[in-house]
Amino acid sequence: MREILSLVLMAIGAAFMLIAGIGLLRMPDLYTRMSATTKATTMGVGSILLAAAVHFGEPAIVARALAVIAFALLTSPVAAHMIGRAAYFTGVPLWRGTVIDELRGRYDRRTHALESIRFPELERRLADLQVYRLRVPSESAVIGKTLAEIELRKRYNVTLLAIFRGAHVIANPEGDVQLLAGDELILIGSHERLREAMDLIYQSS
Amino acid sequence: MTLEVMAFPGALSILSLAMALAFLRLMRGPSLPDRVIALDLIATLAVGMIVLYAMAIDQPVLLDVALALALLSFLGTVAFARYLERSYRP
């Protein structure tokens, strides 16, 4: 019985590690590769160590195996986070099919400090209003249209505070500003109406 | 019991295959962090192999080696990450 349990755990562990290897080789960019390897290795090493604990069955060895598992569970996410962070800062590219990069433009390249655009005071006082930050996807139907054509204010009762375009900011944009792919819009409005505006912006042409 | 006789070489060869795949990624890169995570996976696979070998030859003392290797690989990865982040000038 114990032998069978140990063999099953071993098989699970080996399978997970093989998946980690395949994922590392096949995934399209660093971040997805890391996603494949870190989870699979924690689970893989965990299962194999549990197999060892069951196999030997002595309390001292079981304790040691559990200690290694606890260590792996603690360190693997930390190491992955550090590498991911270093890679992001050093400009390792994301996969072309990446849908959203929420960190983009939100950290200081020099100090590596992270900031997010929030209006805490405003949000507290205007309880019904939300501030949204969203990115115009590359195949959006609104690309190339001017703000006057989209009529965010008239149709959705949503106000566009600013557009983040690459390195510069277009604050309080005029009606003749055209939207481009990759623009980040800071919108203010009620939750439901913002959702509707989001549907429009995320709609593909 | 034939199953058990097969199990250890089988599991070890699966891990070796995974290690070969990780080596391919280590060679290909393309970025330095890619190579670092490939090395990290190789170290993790080595930990798994040591544990399997400990079971195969009934030597629980080898689990200490696995623990030491896990510790070293963690420190190595952290050191790499620090180095990458610090040495980068935008």
Side-chain angles (χ1 to χ4, degrees):
Chain A
M1 186 60 215
R2 241 176 55 192
E3 284 308 312
I4 291 171
L5 183 59
S6 165
L7 287 180
V8 168
L9 283 168
M10 221 161 78
I12 293 173
F16 262 94
M17 287 179 141
L18 183 60
I19 291 168
I22 296 170
L24 179 67
L25 194 63
R26 299 282 299 147
M27 285 298 199
D29 71 357
L30 174 90
Y31 309 98
T32 47
R33 276 171 213 149
M34 280 178 47
S35 163
T37 61
T38 50
K39 285 175 204 122
T41 53
T42 332
M43 187 69 194
V45 169
S47 297
I48 288 181
L49 280 161
L50 274 182
V54 174
H55 175 88
F56 291 113
E58 293 163 39
I61 297 161
V62 173
R64 225 182 298 169
L66 290 180
V68 183
I69 291 175
F71 181 77
L73 286 180
L74 274 177
T75 57
S76 165
V78 175
H81 177 90
M82 287 194 73
I83 282 291
R85 183 187 145 91
Y88 192 84
F89 280 135
T90 53
V92 173
L94 276 74
W95 177 42
R96 268 182 294 112
T98 304
V99 176
I100 188 162
D101 174 7
E102 291 195 320
L103 282 176
R104 202 186 132 100
R106 292 204 187 180
Y107 71 85
D108 189 319
R109 279 201 172 266
R110 210 167 32 80
T111 61
H112 291 191
L114 197 65
E115 48 134 19
S116 64
I117 295 187
R118 291 198 65 95
F119 301 85
E121 182 75 7
L122 211 60
E123 281 172 4
R124 198 162 55 238
R125 285 176 196 244
L126 309 173
D128 312 340
L129 294 182
Q130 310 273 323
V131 180
Y132 271 38
R133 174 180 180 136
L134 49 102
R135 183 135 171 247
V136 179
S138 50
E139 63 281 355
S140 165
V142 297
I143 290 170
K145 291 197 178 164
T146 64
L147 295 178
E149 283 170 331
I150 300 167
E151 294 186 317
L152 284 172
R153 175 90 219 159
K154 209 191 230 172
R155 282 162 64 193
Y156 302 102
N157 204 14
V158 159
T159 308
L160 178 58
L161 291 180
I163 302 173
F164 283 58
R165 179 172 292 166
H168 37 216
V169 183
I170 307 167
N172 198 11
E174 305 271 341
D176 58 357
V177 173
Q178 277 189 341
L179 288 181
L180 302 180
D183 278 357
E184 287 191 62
L185 313 178
I186 310 294
L187 296 165
I188 189 164
S190 73
H191 187 72
E192 297 81 41
R193 304 312 306 273
L194 275 170
R195 284 273 159 200
E196 292 171 30
M198 245 169 107
D199 287 343
L200 172 83
I201 290 162
Y202 283 150
Q203 200 178 72
S204 46
S205 52
Chain B
M1 204 170 156
T2 50
L3 190 61
E4 232 186 287
V5 177
M6 300 283 290
F8 292 112
L12 279 171
S13 40
I14 291 174
L15 260 58
S16 309
L17 178 60
M19 201 179 253
L21 297 175
F23 261 114
L24 275 178
R25 176 53 68 199
L26 182 68
M27 288 194 316
R28 268 195 211 169
S31 68
L32 197 50
D34 281 305
R35 294 177 211 271
V36 175
I37 58 165
L39 272 178
D40 193 50
L41 181 60
I42 288 169
T44 314
L45 289 169
V47 170
M49 282 176 161
I50 292 169
V51 176
L52 283 176
Y53 192 60
M55 280 193 273
I57 64 167
D58 255 321
Q59 284 291 337
V61 73
L62 282 181
L63 289 181
D64 292 338
V65 181
L67 180 59
L69 186 59
L71 181 71
L72 280 178
S73 104
F74 169 65
L75 290 178
T77 307
V78 168
F80 264 126
R82 296 285 294 171
Y83 157 74
L84 274 171
E85 207 179 315
R86 291 245 178 131
S87 64
Y88 178 72
R89 292 277 166 273

